[in-house]
Amino acid sequence: EVQLVESGGGPVQPGGSLRLSCAASGFKFSHYWMYWARQAPGKGLEWVSSIDAGGRNSYYADSVTGRFTSSRDNAKNTVYLEMSNLKPEDTAVYYCVRKLQAQQPLDDALRGQGTQVTVSS
């Protein structure tokens, strides 16, 4: 069974940090780019970051550049999202996503159940 399982979310104060993890199974993880996306209450799914199959290159939305870092461990079939200097507007459910093709819309791609991140004082 193809599966993605996110973990590591929770409540955090503004300026704090969290590390999200996503464990993948059921497919050749090292062959795929992986993505992080988030959905804030009442809003659509927003792309956050992408990381290539080998983990050498990563890309970020402007809103998180300089604060978030994506990495992966292909030996553990896991992708990570290190988040620092968190802001209230980062509050959302965070998903890791696997696309079958680069042009596949995030909404149509495989994602896990998500992990809630709440940034509040």
Side-chain angles (χ1 to χ4, degrees), residues 33-50:
W33 284 55
M34 293 298 296
Y35 304 81
W36 286 96
R38 65 188 182 184
Q39 188 164 23
K43 296 189 176 181
L45 196 61
E46 174 192 18
W47 170 71
V48 173
S49 73
S50 308

Side-chain angles (χ1 to χ4, degrees), residues 18-63:
L18 282 175
R19 186 195 200 201
L20 306 184
S21 300
C22 172
S25 59
F27 64 97
K28 291 188 182 297
F29 179 76
S30 62
H31 289 196
Y32 289 86
W33 284 55
M34 293 298 296
Y35 304 81
W36 286 96
R38 65 188 182 184
Q39 188 164 23
K43 296 189 176 181
L45 196 61
E46 174 192 18
W47 170 71
V48 173
S49 73
S50 308
I51 186 166
D52 68 12
R56 292 187 177 184
N57 298 293
S58 54
Y59 306 89
Y60 302 93
D62 289 345
S63 58

